[in-house]
Amino acid sequence: MAQFRILYRDFLTRILDLELLSSRGEIERLLVQFGAMLAAFSFSFTVYFVPRYALATMPYAALSKVVNADRDLLISTTMAVAGMFTVLAWNTVLPDRRDCLILGLLPVRQRTIFFAKLAALATILGLSVVAINSFTGLAYPFASAAPGAGMLAIIRSLAAWWLTMIAAGTFVCGSLLAIQGLAAQLLPYRLFLRLSSVLQLGAFFVILGEYFLKPPFPHALPSAWFLGLYQQLNGSADPFFASLAARAWTALMIAVPTAAVTFALAFRRNNRRIIEQPDIAPARRSWSSAKRLFPKPIDRAIVLFTARTIARSRHHRLLLAAYCGIGLAVALAYARDLLYGSSTFERFWRNPQWNRPNPQLLVGSFILLFFAVMAARSIFSLPIALPANWTFRLTAVHSPAAYCAAIRKSLVTLCALPVWLVFAALYLAIWPVRPSLQHLAILAVTAVLMADFALYRFRKIPFACSYLPGKANLHVRLGIGAIAFIFLTEQGVNLEYFTLQHPIGFLILLSVLAVVARWAYRRTASYPVSQMQFEEWPPRDIESLDLHSDGGADTAPSA
């Protein structure tokens, strides 16, 4: 049991990145924070739904359609949360090289490691399902009960609700683990490492896209299947819900056993080939195009080092995807308003259409750009192999200004430029040419402006400097910055829309942004620095009171 407890705690801390997210690196503190955050969402749903049912005046037969749509939404939320936590645990579920090299030499049974990983994953899954339903799971079955329903019927509805939520979360987790396990069994280890990253990022964005863009109560999606399962467990005899429940049972019978078998085989078959086969190695390719784009060796070295690190480091790539996923979620929320109506901007623009300049897609481009730049700025501070930064120290023959310029080019080229190219293809495909080019010009200047603001006072070579555990506090800093930026973006988009129809106004707006971008560039480039920073020093625990200047202990008493 002692071995199990130690391994369980270690695997749990590897699923949740304590040093990055927690302010003090404590697993209990971080679990409470995650639980409280999800419980806050559950409380918001409860405050919104319960009074609406309590004050409803329509007959229950008509209200039941609204109730089913809301149930589908809550089930979809549970499945999305369970899927996101499973994606976060993607790199730690199967044994990796560290597990094989360290635990493989110790007198620890494979069965103990297997159950410790399974318990850690079950803890995260259970926490997410319970927290996101902490208020709705208790209040919603009572609020949505039919008039005249007895206490036994309400208790049955309550039990059916929780069983459905557990089944829905288990299905999502099992499906993702089954996909990963099948890839691990069928592919060589090096190819699996490359494809695993693609599958992880794909699952990340598919979950967000399905949640934010799906129409209300679509029968073909898994959330509707588990709504049918809830109705079946609750005693409904409707054949329509019975057919949906049959799909849910079939999906569970396929996903969970497949995940269990492939998960168990990974511990029996993967250890040897993980040790014998190398990790992702650099491919042989010509960098002539990089030489043309970046003729200076220092620029080319920093850009290629940054690109290769992002491509090979699962930790940095996951954090980058997490930032961009949050931005995508917000952008898709605006796009959903465009598809189904009820727009935030209807008070400004009447009947926005997708094939014309509209606020939803304009705001989405700025939001994705903001999160991409912030993601790059955050992962630049996290080292990939800290003991190897002596290479940069010994070869630091260039001025700090040259390194800073190369870092700026890396951020713009690898993070801001891909977002700009994606939206350039989108706008030119669905919008008229002139407003598309106008917005792309504003978006390009904004990208440069964001890069300069993000790199102000940043004097570190990406992935080559130490950092202090918990200093990031991403859940606080990102939330405050994102809320402020979204508010300012909504106000700025209204001004941009007006200038898109008036060429003189557009030129004035673009000129003002260019002047601000030039000022930000000069401000960032002129920040005084004598050398690049490679060590992050903690703040001093003891502060001087400067007693000498106050005539304190060193002041001789008068005679």
Side-chain angles (χ1 to χ4, degrees):
M1 290 300 295
Q3 292 180 347
F4 175 83
R5 289 194 301 268
I6 295 174
L7 292 175
Y8 165 75
R9 185 178 181 87
D10 177 70
F11 294 147
L12 193 61
T13 56
R14 286 161 60 179
I15 292 177
L16 300 175
D17 194 342
L18 300 178
E19 295 183 344
L20 182 63
L21 297 175
S22 180
S23 59
R24 297 186 181 273
E26 301 169 355
I27 183 62
E28 295 84 0
R29 181 187 181 94
L30 186 57
L31 290 176
V32 170
Q33 289 176 347
F34 272 120
M37 180 180 63
L38 295 176
F41 281 105
S42 178
F43 180 76
S44 301
F45 282 127
T46 303
V47 171
Y48 177 75
F49 286 130
V50 172
R52 183 168 65 170
Y53 300 145
L55 302 177
T57 57
M58 66 178 68
Y60 186 78
L63 184 63
S64 61
K65 297 181 180 180
V66 179
V67 171
N68 286 330
D70 293 340
R71 287 169 177 165
D72 177 74
L73 174 62
L74 295 176
I75 294 174
S76 298
T77 303
T78 300
M79 297 176 73
V81 171
M84 296 302 295
F85 275 95
T86 305
V87 171
L88 289 177
W90 186 280
N91 295 328
T92 58
V93 170
L94 297 178
D96 54 15
R97 185 171 295 272
R98 181 170 64 172
D99 294 333
C100 297
L101 294 178
I102 297 178
L103 298 179
L105 301 176
L106 299 177
V108 181
R109 295 180 178 179
Q110 289 290 326
R111 182 176 58 187
T112 304
I113 302 175
F114 173 81
F115 284 112
K117 278 187 175 285
L118 189 62
L121 182 62
T123 299
I124 296 300
L125 179 62
L127 173 67
S128 61
V129 172
V130 171
I132 198 62
N133 292 281
S134 56
F135 290 95
T136 55
L138 298 176
Y140 193 81
F142 290 90
S144 61
M151 182 56 64
L152 291 179
I154 295 178
I155 293 176
R156 179 176 181 175
S157 176
L158 184 67
W161 183 265
W162 280 101
L163 290 175
T164 300
M165 292 302 179
I166 294 173
T170 303
F171 164 73
V172 175
C173 181
S175 299
L176 293 175
L177 292 182
I179 295 173
Q180 186 184 19
L182 289 173
Q185 297 303 314
L186 299 177
L187 300 176
Y189 183 64
R190 287 184 60 183
L191 183 58
F192 166 71
L193 289 181
R194 295 182 182 275
L195 184 60
S196 177
S197 301
V198 177
L199 293 175
Q200 182 185 22
L201 298 183
F204 195 90
F205 293 117
V206 166
I207 292 170
L208 292 175
E210 188 275 337
Y211 180 73
F212 285 98
L213 290 182
K214 77 179 186 68
F217 193 31
H219 302 165
L221 294 181
S223 59
W225 306 347
F226 287 93
L227 177 59
L229 178 62
Y230 165 76
Q231 295 287 4
Q232 185 184 66
L233 295 176
N234 200 28
S236 175
D238 191 333
F240 172 71
F241 288 114
S243 63
L244 294 178
R247 297 183 187 180
W249 287 116
T250 302
L252 282 171
M253 293 300 102
I254 294 175
V256 175
T258 304
V261 172
T262 55
F263 191 51
L265 289 177
F267 283 83
R268 295 179 59 88
R269 298 182 179 180
N270 279 18
N271 289 350
R272 182 174 180 179
R273 67 174 188 167
I274 288 176
I275 297 176
E276 293 178 349
Q277 298 185 29
D279 286 332
I280 299 177
R284 295 182 179 179
R285 57 172 63 93
S286 175
W287 296 105
S288 57
S289 59
K291 292 181 180 179
R292 289 192 296 267
L293 293 175
F294 305 101
K296 294 183 179 180
I298 180 62
D299 294 343
R300 190 163 60 251
I302 296 296
V303 171
L304 293 181
F305 172 72
T306 304
R308 288 171 173 172
T309 301
I310 295 176
R312 298 174 194 168
S313 174
R314 293 183 294 177
H315 175 75
H316 294 86
R317 192 168 52 249
L318 178 60
L319 181 59
L320 182 65
Y323 268 93
C324 295
I326 297 174
L328 179 64
V330 179
L332 290 178
Y334 285 102
R336 192 178 193 278
D337 285 342
L338 179 64
L339 292 175
Y340 306 115
S342 178
S343 172
T344 307
F345 297 87
E346 283 183 352
R347 63 182 183 273
F348 298 108
W349 299 339
R350 297 291 182 181
N351 300 322
Q353 299 180 8
W354 64 270
N355 59 348
R356 297 179 183 178
N358 57 76
Q360 289 83 357
L361 294 183
L362 290 176
V363 171
S365 62
F366 288 112
I367 289 176
L368 278 178
L369 180 63
F370 169 78
F371 278 92
V373 172
M374 291 300 102
R377 172 61 178 82
S378 297
I379 64 176
F380 280 4
S381 301
L382 305 179
I384 179 64
L386 187 58
N389 69 4
W390 60 269
T391 305
F392 292 100
R393 299 189 181 192
L394 293 178
T395 58
V397 296
H398 298 275
S399 64
Y403 285 102
C404 294
I407 295 169
R408 181 175 179 271
K409 294 177 182 177
S410 299
L411 188 148
V412 173
T413 303
L414 300 177
C415 293
L417 181 59
V419 175
W420 187 90
L421 291 175
V422 168
F423 280 101
L426 175 64
Y427 294 141
L428 292 174
I430 64 175
W431 288 357
V433 176
R434 186 177 65 84
S436 299
L437 295 178
Q438 288 176 323
H439 178 65
L440 289 175
I442 292 179
L443 193 65
V445 177
T446 305
V448 175
L449 179 62
M450 289 182 183
D452 287 320
F453 272 109
L455 294 177
Y456 181 64
R457 295 185 179 181
F458 185 80
R459 294 299 179 262
K460 304 175 183 177
I461 296 177
F463 317 117
C465 179
S466 64
Y467 75 106
L468 298 179
K471 185 179 179 180
N473 271 336
L474 298 183
H475 56 291
V476 177
R477 298 173 60 183
L478 180 60
I480 297 175
I483 292 174
F485 179 79
I486 292 173
F487 174 77
L488 294 176
T489 300
E490 289 186 357
Q491 308 307 315
V493 161
N494 298 314
L495 177 62
E496 182 188 1
Y497 175 73
F498 174 80
T499 61
L500 291 180
Q501 301 175 348
H502 300 81
I504 297 179
F506 169 75
L507 292 177
I508 294 175
L509 176 61
L510 185 62
S511 301
V512 171
L513 288 176
V515 171
V516 176
R518 178 64 178 174
W519 168 81
Y521 170 75
R522 297 180 62 125
R523 172 174 172 263
T524 302
S526 62
Y527 182 76
V529 58
S530 57
Q531 60 182 2
M532 300 303 293
Q533 181 181 357
F534 289 96
E535 298 293 340
E536 188 79 42
W537 301 105
R540 293 183 300 175
D541 293 332
I542 300 177
E543 298 290 342
S544 173
L545 296 178
D546 195 16
L547 299 178
H548 295 279
S549 60
D550 294 337
D554 290 346
T555 303
S558 58

